[in-house]
Amino acid sequence: METKAILSHIDHTQLKPFATWEDINQLCQEAIEFETASVCVPQSYIKRIKDHYPTLNICTVVGFPLGYNSTASKVQEIKDALADGANEIDMVVNISDVKNKDYDKVTKEIKTLKEACGDHILKVIIETCYLDEEEKIAMCESVTKGGGDYIKTSTGFGTGGATMEDVLLFKEHIGPDVKIKAAGGVSSVEDLIAFIEAGCDRIGTSSAVKMLKGQMTDGEY
């Protein structure tokens, strides 16, 4: 797979709580140079990024990383993020609602947040490391019914990240309009290729550019 094609699927990510502007600025410069799908950053940096890099596709997180914020607060986060210049939103479901089997409530929240996003992309993080298979399948249904554009495996702050098993389970149970984003623990070029070939449209990682810098040629990896 060509390196450029791999990078076009990457949400180049920096979500550490101690990320400095120097870190974020480097992330943005790399995203532009290597043409990643987006940068995924804390909300507090959106406006500054937009001012410095007006054409950059900016993704941010909502209800992150635990998901138990109220729906109203998540809606306000989305409104603020879009007003500052974000283009894509990665939200975290209320994991307690999932564990309580209150799937209709989760679906309703996703639908409400998608309405707040409008034409902007909404990715729904279900944090697979805390869920059993029944709950993961239920989340595929909730994301589909709620109108989410993507189902996303993980925040990267839980006890585990993306697995091929979960990606294949998603493919079996999501609706035709839902795409897949793998995130958390994607730590090798082989992983990147495997997830893309398995059907992931996006991969969230902070290390893809670093891993691929030595492969910036016209050939395949």
Side-chain angles (χ1 to χ4, degrees):
M1 180 177 289
E2 290 186 357
T3 302
K4 188 172 182 179
I6 298 172
L7 288 164
S8 70
H9 292 279
I10 302 300
D11 286 343
H12 196 26
T13 301
Q14 174 55 269
L15 292 169
K16 291 178 180 177
F18 46 83
T20 64
W21 172 245
E22 183 179 357
D23 298 326
I24 298 295
N25 194 41
Q26 179 180 342
L27 185 88
C28 294
Q29 290 176 0
E30 290 174 344
I32 291 170
E33 180 180 356
F34 300 113
E35 299 181 353
T36 62
S38 76
V39 290
C40 187
V41 296
Q43 289 198 34
S44 57
Y45 281 114
I46 295 170
K47 195 172 189 307
R48 192 169 181 182
I49 293 170
K50 192 69 175 178
D51 289 342
H52 283 78
Y53 304 100
T55 62
L56 192 57
N57 189 35
I58 303 171
C59 171
T60 195
V61 287
V62 162
F64 192 85
L66 301 175
Y68 51 33
N69 318 53
S70 69
T71 298
S73 69
K74 291 178 181 177
V75 167
Q76 189 59 52
E77 282 188 81
I78 289 172
K79 290 179 178 179
D80 291 344
L82 296 181
D84 283 345
N87 306 104
E88 302 184 2
I89 302 294
D90 288 19
M91 62 157 284
V92 186
V93 297
N94 188 314
I95 301 163
S96 293
D97 287 342
V98 182
K99 302 305 290 185
N100 288 326
K101 314 298 184 187
D102 199 349
Y103 304 138
D104 287 344
K105 186 177 179 183
V106 178
T107 303
K108 184 178 179 181
E109 178 174 83
I110 295 168
K111 184 176 181 180
T112 298
L113 298 191
K114 179 57 186 173
E115 289 172 352
C117 283
D119 293 334
H120 297 277
I121 288 174
L122 178 67
K123 309 190 199 92
V124 182
I125 308 171
I126 69 168
E127 200 68 295
T128 51
C129 61
Y130 300 131
L131 309 183
D132 61 29
E133 184 171 302
E134 175 197 322
E135 292 160 346
K136 293 171 188 175
I137 292 172
M139 287 303 92
C140 290
E141 295 171 354
S142 287
V143 174
T144 301
K145 292 177 182 177
D149 298 291
Y150 285 76
I151 185 168
K152 178 178 171 182
T153 60
S154 320
T155 62
F157 286 77
T159 57
T163 69
M164 187 60 66
E165 180 183 15
D166 286 335
V167 168
L168 296 177
L169 185 71
F170 289 175
K171 284 181 68 176
E172 186 177 349
H173 294 283
I174 55 176
D177 297 326
V178 179
K179 298 177 182 178
I180 300 171
K181 177 176 174 178
V186 183
S187 57
S188 72
V189 178
E190 289 75 20
D191 285 343
L192 295 175
I193 294 171
F195 279 120
I196 293 168
E197 289 183 343
C200 293
D201 185 74
R202 295 285 185 90
I203 297 175
T205 175
S206 60
S207 56
V209 167
K210 183 179 180 180
M211 289 189 284
L212 289 164
K213 267 185 177 179
Q215 306 296 330
M216 298 300 173
T217 69
D218 293 332
E220 295 184 350
Y221 171 79

